[in-house]
Amino acid sequence: MSVTYGKPVQLFSTSTKHTTFNRPFHPPNFTSLLSPNKQFAKKTRIRTTTTRPSINHLYIHSCVQSSSNEEGSTQVSQPFSVKIPVGNRHILVETGQIGRQASGAVMVTDGETIIYTTVCLADVPSEPSDFFPLSVHYQERFSAAGRTSGGFFKREGRTKDHEVLICRLIDRPLRPTMMKGFYHETQVLSWVLSYDGLHPPDSLAVTAAGIAMALSEVPHLKPIAGVRIGLIDDEFIVNPTVKEMEGSKLDMMLAGTDNAILMIEGYCDFLPEDKLLEAVEVGQEAVRAICSEVANLVQKCGKPKMLDAIKLPPLELYEHVEEIAGDELVEILQIKNKIPRRKALSALEDKVIHILAEKGFVSQIKTSIPEPVQDLLVEEEEDEELVVDGEFDEGDIHIKPVLPKPVPLLFSEVDVKLVFKEVTSKFLRRRIVEGGKRSDGRSPQELRAINSQCALLPRAHGSALFTRGETQSLAVVTLGDKYMAQRIDNLVDEEEYKRFYLQYCFPPSCVGEVGRAGAPSRREIGHGTLAERALEPILPSEDDFPYTVRVESTITESNGSSSMASVCGGCLALQDAGVPVKGSIAGIAMGMVLDTKEFGGDGTPLILSDITGSEDASGDMDFKVAGNEHGVTAFQMDIKVGGITLPIMKQALLQAREGRTTILAEMSKCLPPPSRKISIHAPLIHVMKVQPSKINLIIGSGGKKVKSIIEETGVDSIDTNEDGIVKITGRDLASIEKSKVIISNLTMVPTVGDVYRNCEIKSIAPYGAFVEIAPGREGLCHVSELSSANWLSKPEDVCKVGDRIDVKLIEVNDKGQLRLSRRVLLPEPESDKAGAKQVTSDSTKDNIVSPKSQDKVRPKKPSNSSNIFVPSSNVMDKNGSSTISSPQKSRSRIPSPEDKATEKHVKSSNDEIAGNKDKLKRSSSKSEIDIPRNGENNMVNGDAKVL
């Protein structure tokens, strides 16, 4: 480790007032913290030993020792920097230069990507609760990449989904390291100040938050760090670059301490469990190296921890609660259904509080706030000074007296509720370990009852209801074109469009409660992304299935593992919508009871399959795993204890694979089963290929041409790509056929000898007339080619603007300009009857096509190929994959109910369409094309009249 810093200074003072954070600091009494009482030590998360202090003790003790220097010295903030090796490069950590008034502030640099993170805490503690008051905010400044926001106000606004996911990555590993009993509100703020487009900022933000927290006064057990692991060419890479991740088979985020794993989240393409364990081992080694360097950094410039602010309920309160509620808790925890059990526990909690209050253990009298002393108010008014805005902080001028707060007689009601919850958790864990039975009577490896059904919603493109115990997900699939895709505008992925996305909704009614209903919460965004990434590997490519796919998962019932229910329900809904998925995916949530020896076990961690909500809250782990029987596609692990080891994770992964296999077997019994065909209410998409150079003819000036085609034909949208791919989306086949013909005529390649019938004269010049042979395509018919006469003085003598004539293409020059002739199609003059026979013989060489219908006939050289995605013609084989057939087959009959599925993908070419009803007889390379008048179409009763 290389270290550079300023001149030596005294960092801390042993005085009772600390000059930096302006609050009293008393060195902690480690004798009381390391009490031999096992239960009390467990509450403080500090292990006891008779031979040597624990690692947690050493870390906290080093933080406090750094504050004890010579008497009377004061802390002077000095810049301090250190380089920490991560993977095959170093990250630079700087502190003491900016953000000096924060409790902890660091700048972490990787390449030219810079993260600035601060940690601050409130001076006054909040009300005690079972949830540590930690908030995390992460923001990507567009200025970091030399951009501005795309919004109207040109500044960063509401937190984007991508930023919310990183906030969760920061929060989840920090929370287990926080010591119980500390209720000062803590806030972590993180900004991306510079982004080089090569080194992603998310893993860097996790490490920066861990370092800032370690340097701050917040009491926590150990410093944490985070890394990303990629699998490139069968080699694991620590913190790969953005370019390297493009070819990676694994995207895993891992955070932990020097000896345990706290959080993992990752996505892969059916990676085996043994490969995942190898990746976790590589990530743990990298995290261990970072945490070791951070511990050295904390010894040099870390602030003392506020251990004196930890307030835990008295030990005797646990004894009182267990004595009052013990027998009833055993009976209540055997209630299988969630709502009756929750109501019974709530009633028992009220009973415990009432009994303790009657015995005088709980204060029921609120101490009144005393009136402020008049002398203090008068003195404050006399010392009041005029303060100019911006010169001083209000806190530097006035220090208002702190009024005394009401103090409970012995125990507070909040303490009783906290203790009751911990006692309930203790009894639940004991029941599982000692009796081998969970609250609903299952064994540790047993799954809840599973039921699923599809096609619930008749107008939805696909729907499924997946029920597992008391957890239920209603999944709905909607198909659309590119304009339904979700736009992503963030620092890393600039102007990206997602053609598949899953949105998760968790209303308060799903747990039988009343709550807020509005914008999606961070939990909803995180669960939705997890389910989305789990299903991505089974989706077809855009070439095989050009639809944009949206999945909505609404949780209608919840008792644990609702995100994994969204995976199962979403997979069934995709199949019901006719999406040709590659296979089926299932998800399961695993739990754990770590300290089994406390409850009479052999000390081996007990892994629970398919956990419920109470087992999640009272257990030590929530490990979600999605995939099939061959591999994993997504996983996410949260830990509520100090971390787990690789053997525990291996056991959980193997047990999860067995659970997924069982769930997949139950999903195959779905009644009614997925239809595996596209709904008649889904839009139609026609895909055609044109020459890339002709795309501008379809778009037109400022998009006018494509807008006019949409308005004229009634299709929903026309999407063009630079590679010549054109996608036409509509609600009926007639409008798509009409639009397709117009585009074909716009992009056709005229051939010398083609004959065009019923063409309109658009303009007249002294040297000839300009004739429109196809929409947007005009050619010049020279004055000498307008009439069979030997000489014509001006074009107006035989035609005028708006007339319709028949012409023949006789020349295409180097510039692509067309030369037409009307004269060669006119009857021979009387004087030339002698040569009429020869003319007739020559004319038979032209391929004359005169359809009776008013179809727009394609030229001889049409577009290369086209695909029509028609809901009534998607045939799925027994394996669930789609087959391709011609349009003739899809229109020749109406599929019978006995058909296993209906064909969807129809690959057609212009040659096939030209021969669908009336096959053209061509005797040469020349053709005759009839151009219909405005208002006419080529549809009869909704069916295309195809030549």
Side-chain angles (χ1 to χ4, degrees):
M1 178 182 72
S2 60
V3 180
T4 58
Y5 54 95
K7 59 183 180 179
V9 294
Q10 297 288 2
L11 295 180
F12 300 103
S13 170
T14 56
S15 61
T16 57
K17 290 277 186 176
H18 196 285
T19 58
T20 300
F21 27 90
N22 295 325
R23 67 166 58 89
F25 172 74
H26 305 285
N29 184 357
F30 282 99
T31 303
S32 62
L33 281 177
L34 298 178
S35 170
N37 188 298
K38 183 177 180 181
Q39 188 174 11
F40 182 69
K42 182 183 177 183
K43 305 307 175 187
T44 58
R45 297 296 184 187
I46 296 180
R47 298 181 181 179
T48 60
T49 178
T50 57
T51 57
R52 60 183 177 87
S54 66
I55 297 177
N56 296 339
H57 173 210
L58 292 176
Y59 167 69
I60 299 175
H61 188 61
S62 67
C63 297
V64 178
Q65 276 190 334
S66 65
S67 66
S68 55
N69 290 302
E70 295 182 3
E71 185 71 26
S73 63
T74 58
Q75 178 180 354
V76 179
S77 179
Q78 292 289 333
F80 191 97
S81 64
V82 57
K83 286 186 177 180
I84 300 177
V86 180
N88 57 0
R89 58 182 185 273
H90 290 74
I91 61 173
L92 176 65
V93 179
E94 300 172 277
T95 185
Q97 183 177 5
I98 62 175
R100 293 174 295 180
Q101 296 187 31
S103 179
V106 293
M107 289 182 63
V108 183
T109 304
D110 185 8
E112 293 183 346
T113 299
I114 299 177
I115 303 290
Y116 170 54
T117 302
T118 63
V119 172
C120 288
L121 63 158
D123 292 331
V124 180
S126 306
E127 286 292 327
S129 67
D130 61 339
F131 195 75
F132 182 74
L134 173 67
S135 62
V136 179
H137 181 75
Y138 168 89
Q139 186 181 63
E140 294 178 345
R141 299 282 178 86
F142 284 96
S143 58
R147 296 165 49 200
T148 58
S149 173
F152 179 79
F153 296 101
K154 298 302 176 187
R155 67 176 298 171
E156 289 76 12
R158 185 180 67 87
T159 305
K160 297 180 285 292
D161 289 358
H162 173 72
E163 295 170 329
V164 168
L165 297 175
I166 299 179
C167 287
R168 287 171 54 85
L169 291 177
I170 297 172
D171 181 280
R172 281 157 43 204
L174 282 178
R175 196 170 292 278
T177 64
M178 298 302 166
M179 299 182 69
K180 285 190 174 182
F182 186 75
Y183 301 117
H184 290 258
E185 185 178 354
T186 306
Q187 185 179 51
V188 178
L189 301 178
S190 186
W191 298 272
V192 180
L193 301 184
S194 177
Y195 177 62
D196 58 7
L198 191 62
H199 302 90
D202 46 6
S203 61
L204 203 62
V206 177
T207 300
I211 297 174
M213 188 67 73
L215 296 175
S216 72
E217 308 151 277
V218 179
H220 69 123
L221 301 179
K222 283 189 174 185
I224 69 162
V227 295
R228 167 179 268 111
I229 304 298
L231 180 59
I232 304 164
D233 296 332
D234 207 29
E235 180 182 358
F236 294 107
I237 305 297
V238 178
N239 280 2
T241 62
V242 175
K243 291 184 178 179
E244 289 175 332
M245 281 301 297
E246 293 177 355
S248 177
K249 298 179 181 179
L250 171 69
D251 182 8
M252 183 179 74
M253 289 286 296
L254 182 144
T257 63
D258 57 353
N259 64 348
I261 302 166
L262 295 174
M263 183 273 299
I264 59 172
E265 181 170 327
Y267 311 99
C268 47
D269 191 1
F270 298 103
L271 206 63
E273 284 80 1
D274 56 346
K275 277 291 185 181
L276 287 182
L277 292 172
E278 291 180 26
V280 172
E281 187 174 4
V282 171
Q284 189 177 16
E285 289 294 329
V287 167
R288 183 181 294 114
I290 299 174
C291 291
S292 176
E293 299 293 343
V294 173
N296 296 332
L297 176 65
V298 171
Q299 291 183 2
K300 294 181 174 64
C301 56
K303 293 181 180 179
K305 301 300 179 182
M306 294 177 58
L307 297 176
D308 57 332
I310 295 178
K311 304 298 180 183
L312 293 172
L315 292 177
E316 55 268 24
L317 183 56
Y318 289 87
E319 299 175 0
H320 290 308
V321 172
E322 288 191 25
E323 182 181 355
I324 297 172
D327 295 336
E328 291 189 49
L329 268 178
V330 174
E331 298 296 330
I332 292 175
L333 291 178
Q334 296 180 15
I335 300 176
K336 295 184 178 181
N337 294 329
K338 172 184 175 180
I339 299 299
R341 184 173 62 249
R342 185 181 69 187
K343 291 182 178 181
L345 287 174
S346 179
L348 181 58
E349 181 185 68
D350 293 339
K351 177 182 177 181
V352 171
I353 295 175
H354 179 70
I355 294 176
L356 290 176
E358 286 183 345
K359 292 182 178 182
F361 292 117
V362 177
S363 174
Q364 296 290 329
I365 304 174
K366 295 184 178 179
T367 306
S368 60
I369 299 177
E371 295 291 334
V373 182
Q374 188 67 21
D375 293 341
L376 292 177
L377 297 179
V378 173
E379 183 180 355
E380 183 182 0
E381 292 176 356
E382 291 177 352
D383 295 339
E384 194 170 277
E385 299 179 9
L386 178 64
V387 180
V388 180
D389 291 340
E391 289 189 11
F392 304 94
D393 291 334
E394 292 181 1
D396 296 332
I397 301 299
H398 302 292
I399 300 178
K400 299 180 180 180
V402 179
L403 302 177
K405 293 184 176 181
V407 180
L409 296 179
L410 186 56
F411 305 139
S412 69
E413 186 174 331
V414 175
D415 286 338
V416 177
K417 291 184 176 182
L418 292 175
V419 171
F420 181 82
K421 181 176 180 180
E422 292 194 27
V423 170
T424 303
S425 175
K426 175 183 176 180
F427 274 63
L428 177 64
R429 294 155 67 93
R430 175 180 296 170
R431 170 181 167 82
I432 296 174
V433 175
E434 291 182 352
K437 294 292 183 179
R438 295 146 79 173
S439 294
D440 51 9
R442 290 182 292 146
S443 64
Q445 294 80 20
E446 189 177 353
L447 307 184
R448 290 174 287 179
I450 297 174
N451 179 38
S452 55
Q453 51 184 319
C454 291
L456 276 78
L457 310 177
R459 297 291 297 189
H461 299 163
S463 60
L465 182 67
F466 179 82
T467 306
R468 179 165 50 196
E470 292 181 301
T471 298
Q472 193 175 73
S473 168
L474 176 62
V476 180
V477 171
T478 305
L479 304 178
D481 56 9
K482 177 182 177 181
Y483 297 96
M484 200 184 82
Q486 186 180 45
R487 177 184 174 186
I488 300 177
D489 184 19
N490 55 44
L491 197 61
V492 178
D493 303 311
E494 184 178 356
E495 294 293 334
E496 180 186 353
Y497 288 87
K498 291 172 61 175
R499 58 178 292 263
F500 169 69
Y501 51 96
L502 188 147
Q503 295 171 334
Y504 169 98
C505 178
F506 191 89
S509 62
C510 69
V511 290
E513 296 177 355
V514 176
R516 180 187 66 89
S521 64
R522 291 188 173 189
R523 180 180 182 275
E524 290 176 310
I525 293 174
H527 281 24
T529 302
L530 177 64
E532 173 188 309
R533 298 291 298 272
L535 292 172
E536 270 186 334
I538 65 172
L539 291 178
S541 65
E542 188 174 3
D543 294 336
D544 297 332
F545 194 74
Y547 286 97
T548 294
V549 183
R550 179 197 182 198
V551 181
E552 300 169 86
S553 175
T554 302
I555 305 303
T556 52
E557 272 189 69
S558 178
N559 188 14
S561 188
S562 59
S563 61
M564 295 297 96
S566 299
V567 174
C568 302
C571 178
L572 291 172
L574 288 172
Q575 296 174 355
D576 188 58
V579 180
V581 296
K582 302 175 183 177
S584 296
I585 292 291
I588 187 172
M590 312 298 294
M592 179 183 65
V593 178
L594 184 61
D595 191 6
T596 57
K597 188 175 291 187
E598 180 183 0
F599 307 109
D602 58 359
T604 303
L606 181 61
I607 305 299
L608 306 177
S609 297
D610 186 21
I611 58 175
T612 61
S614 60
E615 293 166 346
D616 184 5
S618 301
D620 299 323
M621 178 182 73
D622 181 13
F623 191 10
K624 305 178 180 70
V625 188
N628 58 15
E629 60 272 15
H630 304 297
V632 177
T633 59
F635 50 94
Q636 183 184 93
M637 184 186 70
D638 297 328
I639 295 296
K640 301 178 181 63
V641 292
I644 64 171
T645 58
L646 281 174
I648 298 175
M649 185 174 296
K650 180 178 181 180
Q651 182 184 352
L653 282 172
L654 295 178
Q655 194 166 318
R657 182 172 62 185
E658 296 176 0
R660 293 197 311 272
T661 304
T662 303
I663 296 172
L664 288 171
E666 294 296 324
M667 290 171 58
S668 64
K669 303 175 184 177
C670 176
L671 287 176
S675 65
R676 297 186 180 274
K677 64 179 180 180
I678 294 184
S679 169
I680 59 174
H681 304 295
L684 314 179
I685 296 183
H686 172 72
V687 182
M688 59 189 302
K689 174 76 174 178
V690 301
Q691 289 189 4
S693 59
K694 305 292 184 180
I695 289 295
N696 291 333
L697 297 176
I698 303 174
I699 300 174
S701 177
K704 292 182 179 179
K705 188 60 183 178
V706 69
K707 291 178 182 178
S708 66
I709 298 175
I710 294 174
E711 183 178 355
E712 178 183 351
T713 60
V715 296
D716 293 341
S717 64
I718 298 176
D719 178 41
T720 59
N721 295 328
E722 295 179 355
D723 57 356
I725 297 296
V726 180
K727 297 179 182 178
I728 309 171
T729 305
R731 294 290 171 177
D732 59 273
L733 189 60
S735 60
I736 289 182
E737 289 287 347
K738 188 175 181 181
S739 178
K740 181 175 61 177
V741 171
I742 295 176
I743 293 175
S744 298
N745 289 332
L746 281 174
T747 58
M748 69 178 182
V749 180
T751 304
V752 174
D754 288 346
V755 176
Y756 301 92
R757 298 290 187 186
N758 200 24
C759 300
E760 183 181 359
I761 298 177
K762 288 294 186 180
S763 61
I764 293 179
Y767 48 84
F770 289 92
V771 183
E772 184 181 50
I773 61 173
R777 300 298 304 274
E778 296 182 5
L780 174 63
C781 186
H782 195 264
V783 64
S784 61
E785 298 291 341
L786 281 173
S787 173
S788 58
N790 294 332
W791 183 82
L792 194 65
S793 61
K794 55 183 179 179
E796 288 84 350
D797 291 344
V798 294
C799 63
K800 62 180 181 298
V801 175
D803 287 352
R804 290 186 174 270
I805 60 176
D806 299 337
V807 292
K808 181 178 181 179
L809 181 61
I810 59 176
E811 182 184 353
V812 180
N813 62 18
D814 297 337
K815 297 181 180 181
Q817 296 172 335
L818 310 179
R819 185 185 175 193
L820 307 173
S821 175
R822 177 175 178 256
R823 181 173 59 86
V824 297
L825 301 178
L826 293 176
E828 292 291 336
E830 292 293 332
S831 58
D832 296 335
K833 284 184 178 181
K837 183 176 181 180
Q838 182 66 28
V839 172
T840 302
S841 176
D842 292 340
S843 64
T844 57
K845 296 180 181 180
D846 293 338
N847 182 18
I848 306 299
V849 182
S850 300
K852 297 180 181 180
S853 65
Q854 295 177 344
D855 289 340
K856 295 183 179 179
V857 183
R858 288 151 183 75
K860 178 188 174 185
K861 294 184 179 180
S863 304
N864 296 337
S865 63
S866 61
N867 299 334
I868 304 179
F869 291 80
V870 187
S872 59
S873 45
N874 182 18
V875 176
M876 313 296 283
D877 58 19
K878 295 182 179 179
N879 297 324
S881 60
S882 61
T883 58
I884 309 300
S885 65
S886 63
Q888 294 92 323
K889 294 180 181 179
S890 65
R891 297 191 184 100
S892 61
R893 65 180 180 88
I894 298 177
S896 62
E898 290 78 10
D899 290 340
K900 293 183 178 179
T902 315
E903 185 181 42
K904 171 64 184 176
H905 305 308
V906 181
K907 270 198 171 180
S908 63
S909 65
N910 292 320
D911 294 336
E912 291 174 334
I913 295 177
N916 190 18
K917 290 188 177 180
D918 300 321
K919 292 189 176 180
L920 302 179
K921 296 180 180 180
R922 291 185 173 89
S923 59
S924 68
S925 63
K926 302 177 183 180
S927 62
E928 180 177 311
I929 301 177
D930 185 22
I931 305 299
R933 299 180 183 271
N934 293 334
E936 297 176 345
N937 58 57
N938 57 340
M939 304 299 163
V940 177
N941 295 329
D943 294 330
K945 295 178 63 178
V946 185
L947 298 178

